[in-house]
Amino acid sequence: MEKFVPRLIAWEITRSCNLNCIHCRAASSKGPYKNELTTEEIFRIMEEIKEVGSPIIILTGGEPLLRPDVFDIAKKAVELGFKPVLATNGTLINKEIAEKIKDSGIARVSISLDGASAEAHDNFRGVPGAFEGAMKGILTLKEAKIPVQINTTVTAVNVNELPKIHELAKNIGAIAHHIFVLVPVGRGKELQKGALTPEEYEKILNWFYDQREKSGLQLKATCAPMYYRILRQRAKVEGKKVTFETFGLDAVTRGCLAGTGFCFISHVGIVQTCGYLELPCGDLRKQTFKEIWENSEIFNNLRDFSKYKGKCGRCEYIRVCGGCRARAYYATGDYLEEEPLCTYEPRKSNKN
Ligand code: SF4
Ligand code: SF4
């Protein structure tokens, strides 16, 4: 039987945030939120994670820098052999914080840019000054020689900004640009009214593929599992084999890792397959991480591709793509249904 190991864990170490972004999964606000995991609890859970793997831990929020023990958590992760990275809005980073980030062993910091100008970004983020704060944060990190990744959530509101944000990411010396396809949950639900169509996303993801060789940045399409189908279709047309040598990590990863190599831990210790699929799979105050990782029914369903339904269930790309389980859930009420944002018509007539 295939063994599933956590390779990436997004950990919402606090739900509090200093911004008010229109697409926020958690609909975070200032807080404080009650009952958040204590430092001791987080350390204990990390020891439990160690029993099943040595993942990259994304310290996220809310705004993770609002948690006073964020650097102790990062140090503990390093001590256990994990690789901690930080996902922040960047507005709280000054020289002193940048030094602390570096000293704690955080390997990379991701900052969101959803517009290439103050007007576009602040409009998206819902807070005047957010762009200036993020840019300042990026430059401060650069000065401290901390690798910076730019994240962009692509929606109808900012789709025209994407090429400009990509150029900006290059110009400010980021090492990576990750784009995210919107999942209609939290405040992101509101954005759905002006949502992009599957055809528009197809175009964007093809554009993203075109940047691969010329961009010089590490590129990743996140929560856009169909990108991994597009990549293979395009490579085939171009006569290229998809191997680690030619396509790097894109060749060996899967579109959606939720439940197979990825999971989410909430600010109060609830485990989900990912932050967007809001179905509790276990409570780390009552069960160990290993118990949840190995026995949760939802995790095990996502690992069994024969259970997938609709187009995804009969698709020859199921193993490299998988479709977004969260979007399937919000569209149909069933997380095993087909991805609503995919234009592809599978060739297979039967389920695999
Ligand atoms: S289910 Fe969707 S939102 Fe969750 S990790 Fe997979 S692609 Fe991303
Ligand atoms: S039908 Fe589903 S599995 Fe196939 S490419 Fe589209 S989203 Fe992926």
Side-chain angles (χ1 to χ4, degrees), residues 85-328:
V85 298
L86 185 74
T88 167
N89 59 45
T91 56
L92 301 172
I93 297 173
N94 55 28
K95 243 180 160 178
E96 194 194 335
I97 299 282
E99 282 311 316
K100 286 187 179 167
I101 290 174
K102 203 171 173 184
D103 292 345
S104 69
I106 287 172
R108 177 187 287 205
V109 177
S110 65
I111 293 189
S112 296
L113 281 183
D114 298 309
S117 65
E119 197 196 343
H121 181 81
D122 293 0
N123 177 27
F124 196 93
R125 295 255 135 192
V127 177
F131 181 77
E132 205 195 321
M135 290 301 286
K136 248 203 209 143
I138 293 167
L139 296 175
T140 312
L141 290 165
K142 285 288 302 162
E143 272 165 29
K145 301 205 168 14
I146 299 165
V148 177
Q149 167 187 320
I150 302 300
N151 291 345
T152 305
T153 300
V154 186
T155 71
V157 175
N158 68 346
V159 59
N160 295 330
E161 290 284 306
L162 184 58
K164 289 183 264 177
I165 301 170
H166 190 65
E167 281 309 307
L168 183 60
K170 285 195 242 176
N171 294 339
I172 52 179
I175 59 159
H177 188 195
H178 290 197
I179 61 168
F180 290 68
V181 167
L182 187 76
V183 182
V185 62
R187 276 196 291 266
K189 265 186 214 156
E190 292 302 308
L191 282 174
Q192 225 197 345
K193 290 173 203 142
L196 293 167
T197 62
E199 290 72 23
E200 284 167 319
Y201 272 122
E202 190 85 4
K203 240 168 105 183
I204 293 161
L205 295 174
N206 271 285
W207 171 84
F208 202 56
Y209 177 90
D210 291 333
Q211 308 312 307
R212 282 184 55 256
E213 279 168 9
K214 52 185 177 198
S215 143
L217 301 180
Q218 295 167 23
L219 303 185
K220 191 161 179 271
T222 302
C223 300
M226 51 285 190
Y227 177 73
Y228 293 83
R229 181 253 306 158
I230 292 170
L231 181 143
R232 278 165 180 81
Q233 288 173 311
R234 293 283 306 270
K236 196 172 172 196
V237 171
E238 292 164 11
K240 292 179 188 153
K241 264 209 162 127
V242 181
T243 64
F244 185 71
E245 285 66 37
T246 50
F247 281 82
L249 284 177
D250 278 348
V252 291
T253 190
R254 188 166 175 266
C256 172
L257 289 173
T260 55
F262 174 71
C263 74
F264 170 85
I265 301 175
S266 84
H267 63 307
V268 292
I270 300 299
V271 178
Q272 295 171 195
T273 56
C274 82
Y276 296 96
L277 185 56
E278 286 190 339
L279 295 174
C281 299
D283 181 349
L284 289 163
R285 282 180 162 138
K286 297 190 182 124
Q287 297 150 283
T288 67
F289 182 84
K290 189 172 191 276
E291 277 163 17
I292 299 168
W293 180 261
E294 288 178 356
N295 302 326
S296 150
E297 190 189 335
I298 301 176
F299 275 68
N300 284 319
N301 281 341
L302 292 196
R303 292 167 186 167
D304 182 353
F305 304 141
S306 71
K307 290 195 168 153
Y308 286 35
K309 300 175 188 167
K311 282 198 309 190
C312 293
R314 36 174 216 278
C315 181
E316 64 271 31
Y317 291 104
I318 183 98
R319 290 198 158 269
V320 294
C321 169
C324 173
R325 302 294 102 224
R327 280 189 293 266

